[in-house]
Amino acid sequence: MNEIICPHCQKAFKIDEAGYADILKQVRDHQFEEEIKIKLENAAKEKEAGEKLLAAQFEIKIQEAISAREKALSEQQAAASLQLNEMKAKLDNAELEKQLKISEATNLLEKEKDQLSNALASKDTEMKLHASTLQQQFQEQLKMKDELIKMKEEEIERHKDLKLKLSTKMVGETLEEHCEIEFNKIRSAAFPLAYFEKDNDASSGSKGDFIFRDVDADKNEIVSIMFEMKNESDGTAKKRRNEDFLKELDKDRQEKGCEYAVLVTMLELDNEYYNAGIVDVSHKFPKMFVVRPQFFIPIITLLRNAALKSMAYKNELLRVQNQNIDISNFEEQLNGFRDAFGKNYRIATERFADAIKNIDDSIKQLEKTKENLLKSANNLRLANDKADELSIKKLVKNNPTMKAKFDALEKDHKEIESDDDDEDDD
């Protein structure tokens, strides 16, 4: 129990622990609420004073910023006004200069315009004169062209007519004549030592058209070519092919001992394979080419130059081979001596081996003879021993007749000896 004194009436009364705790709690809650209320009021007053202070400071800063801005604007306006005045002055000066330059340019342009007008009039006159001259030249060239076309057409017609009139043999001979003329034009300059003549030897049953052979200063052949020329008339009923002549051309090349074969042809004029240039057909026949007439001289030059290079390589190879021949001769002599020595050594070795074998055989024979002799000596020794052991007793041991005879002989012998003793005593 706790005793409590009332603050108003000063009377004392007692309460239990639970009541005391409840009263104490009420007193504490009331004090706490009072303290909270006071603190909240103080915080509100402080907040209000701070807000008023911040508002006053902000107002002051705003006023300062406004003043500074107004001052800067005033300065900028003054500077802008000054610049504007300067720009106006410059624009006025520029306008005056512009007007002056425009005036000068206008005067200059007027002067150039007059000059150009005069030049244009002069050029116009000149162009008219040049156009008249060009037109006249064009008319003349056109006339010449028409005449040239007419001449070409007449020439074509003339050639067509000529081809239609010529036989196949005559056409071929015409192409041969063309090639022969082309070659003779450059013979003295390009091929002074060359042989280029028609092939007239038909002993083998066929012949080519031309044979080309070129030699060097020492008469060594550089290159040889069998030529066949083929052409046909536009009016020929049956069109022939280049391949129809390759086999016969290869046969002529081999029979006449030529290195290369060339078919100069005007056949198959619409075949691009033969129109491209020099055609190598060595995949069908060795060292064979097909060309159009315009490549007749180039193919000779090409093959001759290639042969010259090949000949230079052959000469170098021959020189190396000659050096190799000396080495080969020395090697052959050395190999001959080695073979002869080897042969003699082999024969001597074989004979020595035979002699050794014969000696071995002789030794074996002598050893066999020796063995036989030793066996014979042993047999003779045994025979001798047996002869030494032989006696009359043994001879007559199993022979009563001979024993009787020997006993009789011995008796007679003893008697003779006894008689002799008696005679001696007498």
Side-chain angles (χ1 to χ4, degrees), residues 58 91 94 100 107 151 197 287 318 351 381 412:
F58 185 69
L91 285 173
L100 182 60
N107 294 332
M151 290 175 60
E197 300 295 339
K287 296 188 175 183
L318 183 61
R351 291 180 178 177
R381 183 183 59 78
D412 291 338

Side-chain angles (χ1 to χ4, degrees), residues 47-60:
K47 180 181 179 182
E48 186 177 357
E51 288 177 353
K52 289 180 180 180
L53 179 62
L54 288 174
Q57 292 177 351
F58 185 69
E59 185 69 24
I60 293 169

